[in-house]
Every structure is written in structure tokens, then in C-alpha cells.
Amino acid sequence: SSGAVHFMQLFESLVVVVSQGSVRRGHFSPYLPAEHDDIMEFLDIGTEKKAIYLVRVTADDPFKDPTQIGELLQLIQRLNVDYVNNFSNHLFPIGLDLEVFSLKSLMDSRILFNNELNREHVTLALRQEAKYSRAALTGIPSFSDVRLTIDTPEDLEFCSKIALELDKTDQPYSFNSLY
């Protein structure tokens, strides 16, 4: 194995093979220690794939919106900034957090702000240091009091109910389908 992410890709492939459309959906829940050098995973993958931009998502949030990833990629390219997200303006529910950033900026931040906190939290310097330009998605009413994450048993129950309702439809998921 050449890192946790590559190892997880093996399991992702297995889930695809096991899945049988809407008859049997494959599921996989990876767990990684919280204290590891996350920034190097992003730098290694970005360098290996010759990426210009990287997308960061978290595993305990089951309702990431692929259309928002596309919107963030368009935003970072259009504004030519180092970093964009959908949570700085506190509009989206907790759990839809997405970040897009340039590989070049991440490499730079790893060199200039090389400490344990920045290595673990990957984009901390990009979000906080004045050196980096930033932008965020805007234009929706605030849903910041809604939790679409799984941190508590109550979160799990709430998200499970939403997942069951979404499973009843053949429509692709997007955040807009929830409100």
C-alpha cells in the first residue's frame, strides 16, 4: 500500500463490484487515526496525478453534494484564488463542508507553515494566513442550524431518515433536493 487513500481506493473498487444497482448497494466506512500527516496524503496524490486543484471532503458527512464540488471548481478558476469553500459564510448545513484549493498553494503552505496543526488539518494555513486569497459560495438562505453530519446518535438517526427518503427516489441527490 502506498498510503491510506490508495488503500481506501481498493475498497471503493470492491464496493462497486459488490453493488447491484438499486437491488444491493455497496457501502464502506473507512476509519483512519485522527492524528496523522494528512497534508502529505493530499500532496502525494496531487503530485502523482499532476493535479492543479484538490477537493477536500470529510468522511462523517454522508450528504456531500457533487454539484457544489463543480460550483467550487468553477469559482476557484473564475476568481483565480488559492482556496474556496462552501462554509465560510455559514449558509450550508453542518456536514456539507467542501474545500477546493490549488496544489501549488498547498505545497507553499506546507513549507511556510510546517507544524503539526497545519499538517493534520491540511487547509488551516490556506484559510487563516493573509498570504492566501480566498472565496466562498454564496447566494442561498442560511441552513447553518441544520446538521447533516454523523457525530452523535441523534445525527445518525436524522441522517438515516433522510437517506431512506432519498432512497425512494430515482433522482440523483443534490442539496437542493433536500429543501
Side-chain angles (χ1 to χ4, degrees), residues 3-176:
V5 174
H6 295 285
F7 187 70
M8 296 305 158
Q9 288 171 338
L10 171 68
F11 283 100
E12 179 183 17
S13 299
L14 180 64
V15 168
V16 170
V17 169
V18 171
S19 292
Q20 296 177 349
S22 62
V23 177
R24 180 181 359 174
R25 293 185 179 177
H27 296 281
F28 172 64
S29 180
Y31 296 92
L32 293 172
E35 297 79 25
H36 65 286
D37 200 358
D38 290 345
I39 198 167
M40 288 311 299
E41 293 284 345
F42 282 88
L43 290 172
D44 290 347
I45 291 169
T47 302
E48 176 186 321
K49 300 295 183 183
K50 297 177 176 63
I52 297 170
Y53 300 107
L54 299 169
V55 177
R56 182 170 185 236
V57 299
T58 52
D60 59 347
D61 305 329
F63 298 109
K64 298 297 187 197
D65 186 346
T67 59
Q68 284 189 6
I69 294 171
E71 290 172 15
L72 287 169
L73 283 164
Q74 289 175 356
L75 185 64
I76 197 168
Q77 290 171 340
R78 183 170 37 90
L79 299 179
N80 194 29
V81 293
D82 299 304
Y83 170 90
V84 295
N85 69 40
N86 69 345
F87 57 84
S88 290
N89 293 325
H90 307 288
L91 298 175
F92 294 94
I94 296 167
L96 291 188
D97 306 356
L98 295 166
E99 300 173 287
V100 176
F101 42 93
S102 73
L103 176 61
K104 181 178 180 262
S105 298
L106 189 64
M107 287 178 171
D108 180 74
S109 75
R110 171 71 162 104
I111 294 167
L112 296 177
F113 306 100
N114 188 11
N115 61 54
E116 186 177 332
L117 202 56
N118 284 315
R119 287 191 305 269
E120 182 180 336
H121 295 284
V122 183
T123 60
L124 193 61
L126 298 177
R127 286 183 275 148
Q128 294 180 347
E129 298 296 332
K131 172 181 179 23
Y132 302 106
S133 55
R134 297 174 282 278
L137 284 182
T138 60
I140 69 160
S142 179
F143 291 92
S144 62
D145 58 333
V146 176
R147 292 183 56 84
L148 295 177
T149 187
I150 302 178
D151 292 328
T152 67
E154 294 80 16
D155 291 343
L156 178 59
E157 183 179 342
F158 180 67
C159 288
S160 295
K161 288 177 183 176
I162 292 172
L164 287 172
E165 288 301 314
L166 289 171
D167 205 30
K168 293 177 184 177
T169 178
D170 290 332
Q171 300 299 316
Y173 162 75
S174 74
F175 171 67
N176 293 338

